[in-house]
Amino acid sequence: APASVSIRVGPEHIDRNLGRLRRDSYESAAFGAKGNTVFEEQGACIRSWQDLEVGTTALVFDAGRAPSGLVACITWKLQNAVLHQNFAESPETFSAGATSQEHQQFVELKPGQRQMSLVTWSD
């Protein structure tokens, strides 16, 4: 007799997968021809990519093969923006309204790890 399988996919599953697909796209853009190197040393790097038309900035922290990993401290100065500090992996965000606000982000990665921060700007 043929086997039957029942699969339930809820909104939380779809949202999580969509976030990961977006993250993969932003990472590809940051490491592609239109991405920029912000920092690079001993195999670790920080890459960025912006879509000014949509109002999105991605910052990818990549420990690569650096023996000590990657430690970074970023001071964001944001206005009318939402910062996703670990995009698609953690729901933690920082929101800035009409008044400019500073936010400090600390990133510590072991060799081989990556993390992405995503800023979305609004009018």
Side-chain angles (χ1 to χ4, degrees):
S4 77
V5 176
S6 175
I7 299 173
R8 291 186 192 179
V9 178
E12 68 284 346
H13 181 68
I14 293 170
D15 289 345
R16 187 172 43 246
N17 285 338
L18 183 57
R20 288 185 181 141
L21 286 172
R22 286 178 59 203
R23 178 188 166 145
D24 290 348
S25 295
Y26 294 142
E27 274 191 15
S28 292
F31 283 93
K34 294 188 179 187
N36 297 304
T37 300
V38 177
F39 167 86
E40 189 169 24
E41 189 174 294
Q42 296 183 3
C45 68
I46 301 173
R47 299 277 302 176
S48 69
W49 174 81
Q50 288 186 306
D51 184 340
L52 298 176
E53 195 173 303
V54 176
T56 300
T57 301
L59 200 59
V60 180
F61 303 89
D62 183 5
R65 295 182 184 168
S68 300
L70 174 67
V71 175
C73 184
I74 305 291
T75 300
W76 296 92
K77 204 172 224 180
L78 302 171
Q79 184 173 352
N80 294 327
V82 176
L83 166 65
H84 301 268
Q85 296 183 100
N86 192 355
F87 182 69
E89 300 299 324
S90 168
E92 185 179 344
T93 61
F94 173 79
S95 298
T99 305
S100 180
Q101 296 180 24
E102 280 193 6
H103 177 73
Q104 201 164 52
Q105 178 183 3
F106 185 75
V107 176
E108 186 173 6
L109 301 174
K110 294 177 182 172
Q113 291 183 322
R114 275 190 185 170
Q115 179 175 323
M116 177 187 294
S117 294
L118 185 73
V119 178
T120 50
W121 309 92
S122 62
D123 295 334

